[in-house]
Amino acid sequence: MSFSSEVKEELSRYTDSARHCQIAETAAILSMCGRVTISVRDRVSVRIQTESLYVARTWHRLLQKAFHITGEVSVKIHGVRGQNRTYSVTVGNHRDALRVLEACRLVTPALEIAEKLSLVDNLLVQRSCCRRAFIRGAFLVAGSISDPRKFYHFEIVCATMPKAQQLREIICSFELDAKIVERKGHYVVYLKEGDQIVDILNVMGAHNGLMDLENIRILRQMRNSVNRKVNCETANIHKTVSAAVKQIEDIEFLQAHTGLERLPENLAQAAALRLEHRDATLKELGQMLTPPVGKSGMNHRLRRLSEMAQKLRETGEYEERTE
C-alpha cells in the first residue's frame, strides 16, 4: 500500500463528533465526485461515484451520522480481470436528497443546483474545525501524497478554478502556502515543502501518517547529514592526497636537477621526510622534524620547495635562501 493510500485509509476511519463538521466533509465529497439527477417529475436524487472504497465508506457513514440516511450502495466490477471496482452511494429519496444539498450549501435559496456542485458561499466552513473536515473530504476524493522517501508533494485536483481557489483559501487559512497549477484541463492545489505537508496532515487529522512522515524525514535528514560529512571528508582526503603528490613531484624534480644537498638544511630535512613518508599528514611530518614544528610550519617549508621547483622549471635556476 502506498503512503497516500495509508493516509486515506486512516482518514476514512476518522469520525468528527460535531454534526457541522460531518456536513462540511459530506459537502466536500459531494462537491468533488457527486452527481445530482432531476427526473421529469422534478424529483431530485444525489449520488457519488468513486473508485475508492475509502470515499464510499466515508460518505455512507456521514450520511448515517449527519442525516440519518442510509445510502444505497452498488458496486460495478470492471477491467480485464475484474480487478477494478467503481462504488456508487445514492440518496434516491427526493426529500432526503434536498436535505443533503441544502445542508451542504450546494443549492441556492431558490433551490437551484450550484454549477459543478460548488459551494454557494463559505458559511459552511466558517469554523476552523469545519475547514479541517472539508479539506479531509476533498483529499479523500481527489488528493494524493508522494512517497516521502523520494520527494515531498501534496495535491488535490479540482475540476474548476473557483473550486481550486476556494480550497486554496481554506488551506491557506491554516498559515500554509498552497498554490494552484493547471494540469490537463484540471486545477491542482498543491504543497511541496515537507514542513507544510506535515502541517496539512495534522490539519486533516492523519496523525499516524504524520508520525510516519516525520520518521522518514528524520532518517532522510540523518542520511543527508552523513552523506555531506562523508563527501566533505572525501574531498578533504582527495585534496590532501593531491597536495602530497604535487609536493613529491616538486621534490623529486629538485632532486633530479640540483640535488637536495644544495637546499638549506631545514628545507632539505623537510624534503627528505616527505619522500620517505609519502602518506603522512603535515602534522605527522612536522612532529618528525628536529626540533618539531607545527602543521603550518611544515606546510610553509613544503610550499617553499614547490615555489623553488616552479622557478627552476621556468628559469633554470632558483634562489637559495635560509628559511
Side-chain angles (χ1 to χ4, degrees):
M1 183 182 292
S2 68
F3 180 74
S4 188
S5 295
E6 289 175 356
V7 171
K8 289 187 177 185
E9 196 276 337
E10 179 185 359
L11 292 178
S12 71
R13 300 183 184 280
Y14 189 99
T15 303
D16 275 304
S17 57
R19 183 173 184 269
H20 48 78
C21 294
Q22 296 168 4
I23 293 174
E25 189 171 356
T26 302
I29 294 174
L30 187 53
S31 177
M32 288 292 182
C33 67
R35 297 181 182 180
V36 177
T37 302
I38 303 177
S39 71
V40 292
R41 297 183 179 180
D42 291 333
R43 310 303 288 178
V44 175
S45 64
V46 174
R47 174 168 60 98
I48 68 158
Q49 185 170 303
T50 176
E51 293 183 355
S52 170
L53 174 61
Y54 307 133
V55 174
R57 182 171 64 192
T58 299
W59 206 64
H60 188 269
R61 185 183 70 246
L62 289 169
L63 287 175
Q64 290 180 323
K65 288 186 172 294
F67 302 98
H68 305 291
I69 295 171
T70 300
E72 301 170 14
V73 180
S74 62
V75 182
K76 180 181 179 181
I77 300 174
H78 53 95
V80 177
R81 298 182 179 177
Q83 71 273 29
N84 299 325
R85 287 173 170 78
T86 299
Y87 303 91
S88 296
V89 183
T90 304
V91 179
N93 180 276
H94 173 74
R95 291 185 179 180
D96 288 342
L98 279 181
R99 275 202 300 133
V100 172
L101 289 171
E102 289 172 354
C104 292
R105 313 292 294 187
L106 297 174
V107 293
T108 67
L111 298 182
E112 296 176 345
I113 307 300
E115 184 181 4
K116 301 290 186 181
L117 286 178
S118 300
L119 293 190
V120 174
D121 53 45
N122 285 331
L123 291 176
L124 191 68
V125 289
Q126 283 189 332
R127 296 182 178 93
S128 173
C129 56
C130 293
R131 292 195 295 273
R132 292 172 184 269
F134 189 89
I135 296 170
R136 181 166 59 249
F139 175 77
L140 274 172
V141 176
S144 65
I145 304 180
S146 64
D147 184 346
R149 296 175 184 82
K150 299 177 181 177
F151 58 95
Y152 301 123
H153 184 81
F154 170 97
E155 70 176 34
I156 300 176
V157 181
C158 301
T160 66
M161 178 57 83
K163 282 187 181 182
Q165 290 173 335
Q166 186 177 56
L167 182 59
R168 178 185 177 276
E169 291 175 4
I170 294 172
I171 292 175
C172 288
S173 69
F174 293 97
E175 299 184 357
L176 297 170
D177 186 23
K179 294 180 172 59
I180 300 174
V181 63
E182 185 176 359
R183 183 199 299 157
K184 297 180 180 179
H186 291 80
Y187 302 89
V188 181
V189 183
Y190 69 93
L191 300 167
K192 293 194 74 69
E193 295 183 8
D195 289 339
Q196 296 206 32
I197 295 175
V198 167
D199 290 341
I200 196 68
L201 289 174
N202 185 51
V203 165
M204 294 189 299
H207 300 121
N208 291 337
L210 185 155
M211 293 303 299
D212 291 341
L213 177 57
E214 284 286 50
N215 289 336
I216 292 170
R217 291 182 72 208
I218 290 170
L219 289 175
R220 283 188 64 178
Q221 290 171 357
M222 290 177 60
R223 188 179 297 112
N224 290 339
S225 176
V226 170
N227 288 340
R228 283 194 297 269
K229 290 180 180 179
V230 170
N231 291 338
C232 183
E233 290 177 1
T234 301
N236 288 337
I237 291 172
H238 179 73
K239 183 178 178 181
T240 300
V241 170
S242 297
V245 169
K246 179 65 168 56
Q247 293 161 3
I248 291 169
E249 289 177 352
D250 290 337
I251 292 170
E252 289 178 338
F253 180 81
L254 290 173
Q255 186 179 42
H257 290 78
T258 64
L260 299 184
E261 63 277 0
R262 293 185 56 189
L263 297 173
E265 182 180 354
N266 57 345
L267 295 184
Q269 187 181 16
L273 281 175
R274 171 47 85 197
L275 290 178
E276 184 178 355
H277 304 280
R278 299 183 176 226
D279 297 330
T281 63
L282 293 178
K283 183 177 181 180
E284 291 169 343
L285 291 174
Q287 294 301 308
M288 298 176 192
L289 289 171
T290 306
V293 298
K295 178 180 176 180
S296 60
M298 190 66 192
N299 183 57
H300 173 74
R301 297 187 186 191
L302 293 173
R303 187 171 65 250
R304 176 61 187 146
L305 288 167
S306 292
E307 290 171 354
M308 294 170 67
Q310 185 61 29
K311 186 173 183 181
L312 182 60
R313 291 187 184 98
E314 294 173 353
T315 65
E317 60 182 15
Y318 64 85
E319 176 185 359
E320 298 183 29
R321 71 182 186 210
T322 303
E323 294 294 313

